[in-house]
Amino acid sequence: DVVMTQSPLSLPVTLGQPASISCRSSQSLVYSDGNTYLHWFQQRPGQSPRRLIYKVSNRDSGVPDRFSGSGSGTDFTLKISRVEAEDVGVYYCMQGTHWPPWTFGQGTTVEIK
Amino acid sequence: EVQLVESGGGLVQPGGSLRLSCAASGFTFSTYWMYWVRQAPGKGLVWVSHINSDGSSTTYADSVKGRFTISRDNAKNTLYLQMNSLRAEDTAVYYCARSFDNWGQGTLVTVSS
C-alpha cells in the first residue's frame, strides 16, 4: 500500500500570512495514463470533507484562488497564500493512483495563532 | 446541485449488523464510481470500499473485507453498505462520496455493548 506522509501535523498561522503543507508518498503517484492522482481535502470543524485540489494542481469549483497545489512524483505541497479565519480545519492529501486502497495522509491541523 | 444523504447509522452491539444507505440526487448516479470513507472519533479519513458505475466491480479495505458489502441500485439512485460482524473498532462516521469530489454529511455508527 502507498503510505502518505504529511508535515507538519499542526500548523499555527497568523491571519493574512502564508501556509504550506507537505505531502510525500512512499512511491511515485504518476499513473500509466500520465496523470498524477494526488488530491487535497479540507475538513472544517464539524463538517464533511471537501475536495480543494485534484490531480496535484487543479482547483475545484468555488475554491478560492489563495489555495494552490504543486509537486510531482512523490513530493507535493498545498499552499494558502494568505490564511483567512475560514481556513481553519484539517487538511488531507490522498492518492488515487495505486488502488486499492485509496490512502490518505494523517491530516494537518491549521489553526490561527 | 449534487446531494448525497447518508442514513442507517446508530448504536449496535458487537457482532451485530447495520445497513447504511446513501441517497444521491442532482447528477446521473449511474455514471459515477462511489465510495465509502470512515472517520473514527478524533481520527483521520480512511477509505472503506468502492464500487464502479454499474456495480460489477467492488473493492474493500483489508479491515472490512469479508464483513462489509457495498452495493448500489442505479434505478433508485442509492448506494448501500451492509456491515456485518461489527466490532468496536468500526465505530466511526461513515461518509459516502462521489468520485471523492462530493461528500455526504456522514452517518455515525457506534459499536458498543
Side-chain angles (χ1 to χ4, degrees), chain A residues 37-100:
Chain A
Y37 295 93
L38 183 284
H39 317 302
W40 289 96
F41 298 85
Q42 175 195 61
Q43 188 174 31
R44 291 171 170 153
Q47 294 189 12
S48 302
R50 165 200 184 195
R51 196 178 70 182
L52 297 176
I53 302 285
Y54 63 96
K55 290 191 286 185
V56 181
S57 60
N58 299 277
R59 269 191 306 275
D60 274 279
S61 175
V63 174
D65 61 8
R66 64 179 180 275
F67 290 93
S68 63
S70 63
S72 63
T74 61
D75 288 342
F76 304 93
T77 302
L78 175 70
K79 292 183 179 177
I80 311 173
S81 58
R82 296 172 304 280
V83 171
E84 298 189 5
E86 65 178 19
D87 300 335
V88 165
V90 182
Y91 293 78
Y92 297 90
C93 60
M94 187 205 81
Q95 70 84 21
T97 296
H98 303 286
W99 58 269

Side-chain angles (χ1 to χ4, degrees), chain A residues 93-113:
Chain A
C93 60
M94 187 205 81
Q95 70 84 21
T97 296
H98 303 286
W99 58 269
W102 286 260
T103 49
F104 292 87
Q106 318 96 301
T108 295
T109 300
V110 171
E111 61 180 29
I112 305 300
K113 280 185 186 176

